[in-house]
Every structure is written in C-alpha cells, then in structure tokens.
Amino acid sequence: MSATLIRGTEIRDEILKEIKAEVDRIKEEHGVVPGLVTILVGEDPASVSYVTAKIRTAQGLGYKEVQDNRSEDIAEEELLSLIEKYNRDESIHGILVQLPLPKHVDEKRVLNAVDPDKDVDGFHPVNVGRLMIGGSEVKFPPCTPAGIQELIVRSGVETEGAEVVVVGRSNIVGKPIANMLLQKAPGANATVTVAHTRTRDLAYHCKRADILIVAAGVPGLVKPEWLKPGACVIDVGVNRVGEKISEKTGKKVAILKGDVDFDKAKEIAGYITPVPGGVGPMTITMLMRNTLNSLKFHLGIA
Ligand code: NAD
C-alpha cells in the first residue's frame, strides 16, 4: 500500500488563491487592504530569510507591508515603543516580531506588548486563552497548528471521533494542535493524546493513532512499525541532517528530514506529509489568513 501524499505546496496555493480573492473583494467594497508589519531585529540569516518569505507572500496578496528592521543593539524600551506605535496604527492589522530576539531583550515582555487583536502569530496569552476556550472566542490560531488542521481537513481525513496522538508538547506546535483538535467543532471533535519525552511507551501510543502528528525535532523518531495501517501521518519535524548541492542553483543547501522515516512509512500510512513540502509551506499561509481575518474583525465583517 502506498499512502496518499498530502502536498502542502498545493494546499498552500489553493488557500492563497482564496485569500487573494477575498482581499480583492474587501478592497473593492471597503477600500482597505490588510496591513502587516514585520519587525526584524538584527541580521540573523535564518530570520532574514523567514521575514523575506513573509514579506513576499504579503506583497503577492496585495497587503500593505511594512518592514521595520532594527539593529541588533536596539534597547528594549525602544522596541516596546515601536510596538506601541503599530498597536495604534489603524492601517496595521497584524504585528509580527521575528524571533529570536537578542539576548538583552526580554522576549516575553516584547511579545506581550503586542495588542492581542493584532497578534497574528497567536502567541499572546490572551490568544492562547481564546484558543483554549474555542468556538467564536478564537481570533488567531497559531500558524503552524492552523496549517496542520487545514492539511488534515482539506485531505478529507475524518477527525470526528478519531484517535489523535500528538508527539511533542511545545507551545508553538504540540499543545495548540492538541487543543484545537479536541474542540467541539468541525475539523476537530477528536480524542487526543499528547506524548512527550517522559511518555513511558511512545510506540504503544503511536500504534493507536488514526491521526499521528509528530513535532519532536528528532529525525526518524517514529518507526514505520509504530504506524497503524491506513493512519494519517503529519510530520512537522524539520531536521537538518547534512548538506547537498542544489541541482537548481548549484549552491549548497541543507538536507532536510522529518521525524518519521518517510520512505518506509508511506507504505503503511493512508496519508502522509513529506518533508519538505508538507507542513512547512502552510505556516506563512496561515499568517496571511490571520492578518486578513484581523482586518475583517476590525471592519466587523468576520
Ligand atoms: P520543541 O523542541 O520546542 O519541542 C519538541 C517536543 O518534542 C518537546 O515537547 C519534547 O517533549 C518532545 N520530544 C522530543 N524528543 C522526544 C522523544 N524522544 N520522545 C517523545 N517526545 C519527544 O520543538 P517545536 O518548536 O515544537 O518543533 C518541533 C519540530 O517541528 C522541529 O523539528 C521544528 O523545526 C519543526 N517545526 C516546523 C514548523 C514548520 O514546518 N512550519 C514550525 C514549527 C516547528
């Protein structure tokens, strides 16, 4: 048996098309576009490349995009007043502070300064609380978990009553996706187990999963023999396991592997995400959707 591949790039393109159509319609009817500011402190190459990808996507959708790059030695108070400025700016609906921040800055203090109604990353405690309550309380689900839920739903995988096992309990992936899938809501209603480093028998839990979501950051952690035949496997892990020369550019690029042994797992699973090209492309897409939704909340049309 060979699993159906859940192609994140195709689902991303489909969602971006939907977002663009909505942005065009809102622009015509209300004369406004979503506004997103990206705040980048310093020049960490990975952060620069993430921010560049976010900016390009926002521009492609016709968003107002403000890039606010600051030097590594910015004072914490200056960063806080910058955030306050964008909190008050009515043309900005989403504020994104690229992490990590330099060590002299209190990351928590900075993130908590973002207006929860512009917190399109969904990391502010108010939005974490809203997510926990569920239903109409939810404004900005965090982007990677929201992307995972879209991949599952758009692939036609039934979540209602499904045994979902999440491996990993981080605040950005494991905990929020577990919380989202247990809600009384369409695309959820699952029975969720969260496994982590102190879990006694990881194999036992994985074997029970109709939907297995692995976000541990350990290459090959989940063995193919731990999979229930026909299960839906969402591999969130992105692990750099070496380097190769890109055929396209001739430049050195990282070899990426997930937390699941893809080649063997695809013979047992019913659905599976590849790495790269599975969950990865969804994160920025969901950031764009949260920013659009922020504008809709602002206009009272959500
Ligand atoms: P994290 O390091 O914060 O958390 C990892 C979690 O996995 C921890 O809760 C830990 O308890 C659990 N874990 C680790 N080893 C384990 C083991 N041997 N057995 C059971 N549980 C174990 O990581 P994170 O930020 O949640 O990210 C997880 C992975 O997902 C990373 O590879 C990361 O790069 C990737 N990721 C991808 C995207 C994306 O594609 N857009 C976004 C976020 C994270």
Side-chain angles (χ1 to χ4, degrees):
M1 177 179 163
S2 200
T4 300
L5 206 58
I6 300 181
R7 296 178 201 274
T9 44
E10 282 177 15
I11 296 177
R12 169 196 63 195
D13 292 347
E14 191 180 301
I15 298 174
L16 287 179
K17 230 163 110 187
E18 293 166 11
I19 293 176
K20 180 81 172 80
E22 218 176 337
V23 170
D24 292 346
R25 186 178 54 75
I26 292 174
K27 188 176 175 186
E28 211 173 291
E29 289 173 11
H30 299 271
V32 281
V33 295
L36 175 69
V37 58
T38 53
I39 300 175
L40 172 65
V41 180
E43 288 169 4
D44 170 62
S47 295
V48 171
S49 103
Y50 291 142
V51 166
T52 307
K54 289 166 189 175
I55 291 168
R56 282 209 192 114
T57 311
Q59 287 170 340
L61 292 170
Y63 286 19
K64 170 181 170 169
E65 213 290 320
V66 179
Q67 301 164 45
D68 203 327
N69 296 355
R70 299 287 162 147
S71 73
E72 182 82 24
D73 58 3
I74 188 171
E76 186 173 305
E77 294 306 322
E78 200 184 333
L79 198 50
L80 291 170
S81 31
L82 193 65
I83 289 172
E84 198 40 50
K85 181 182 102 174
Y86 290 116
N87 281 344
R88 284 195 305 266
D89 185 337
E90 286 188 5
S91 70
I92 294 295
H93 310 97
I95 300 173
L96 184 129
V97 182
Q98 185 63 45
L99 301 179
L101 290 171
K103 288 206 168 55
H104 68 275
V105 174
D106 180 348
E107 206 164 271
K108 217 171 173 185
R109 192 164 171 231
V110 169
L111 292 184
N112 290 357
V114 174
D115 179 347
D117 290 341
K118 295 189 179 187
D119 167 43
V120 284
D121 256 339
F123 293 154
H124 192 287
V126 167
N127 285 315
V128 176
R130 287 169 170 165
L131 192 79
M132 181 76 131
I133 296 167
S136 59
E137 285 292 324
V138 182
K139 283 208 153 162
F140 305 119
C143 302
T144 301
I148 294 170
Q149 192 175 32
E150 282 293 337
L151 290 179
I152 295 170
V153 170
R154 289 185 187 237
S155 301
V157 174
E158 183 58 83
T159 54
E160 185 157 330
E163 290 288 339
V164 171
V165 174
V166 178
V167 182
R169 56 177 164 188
S170 72
N171 287 331
I172 63 164
V173 189
K175 277 195 257 179
I177 188 62
N179 185 40
M180 288 161 78
L181 293 178
L182 61 78
Q183 296 292 340
K184 188 172 183 178
N189 278 320
T191 304
V192 183
T193 303
V194 181
H196 45 77
T197 40
R198 302 296 167 92
T199 295
R200 234 179 277 142
D201 188 346
L202 187 59
Y204 162 78
H205 291 288
C206 292
K207 281 177 188 170
R208 293 188 301 109
D210 300 314
I211 300 173
L212 179 63
I213 300 168
V214 193
V218 180
L221 172 68
V222 170
K223 310 291 171 238
E225 59 273 21
W226 295 0
L227 301 179
K228 181 172 175 177
C232 170
V233 179
I234 306 289
D235 190 351
V236 191
V238 180
N239 306 294
R240 285 163 198 266
V241 294
E243 283 183 335
K244 62 176 180 183
I245 302 294
S246 158
E247 282 174 23
K248 262 196 218 156
T249 62
K251 287 186 185 163
K252 254 193 206 167
V253 288
I255 301 173
L256 300 178
K257 288 251 184 273
D259 291 349
V260 180
D261 178 346
F262 177 81
D263 289 331
K264 290 190 187 134
K266 76 176 189 323
E267 299 306 320
I268 302 162
Y271 295 82
I272 191 165
T273 56
V275 177
V279 175
M282 297 299 289
T283 301
I284 293 181
T285 309
M286 294 298 108
L287 177 74
M288 297 303 136
R289 192 166 74 181
N290 278 350
T291 308
L292 168 63
N293 283 341
S294 180
L295 169 63
K296 288 164 68 180
F297 291 130
H298 176 81
L299 292 172
I301 56 167

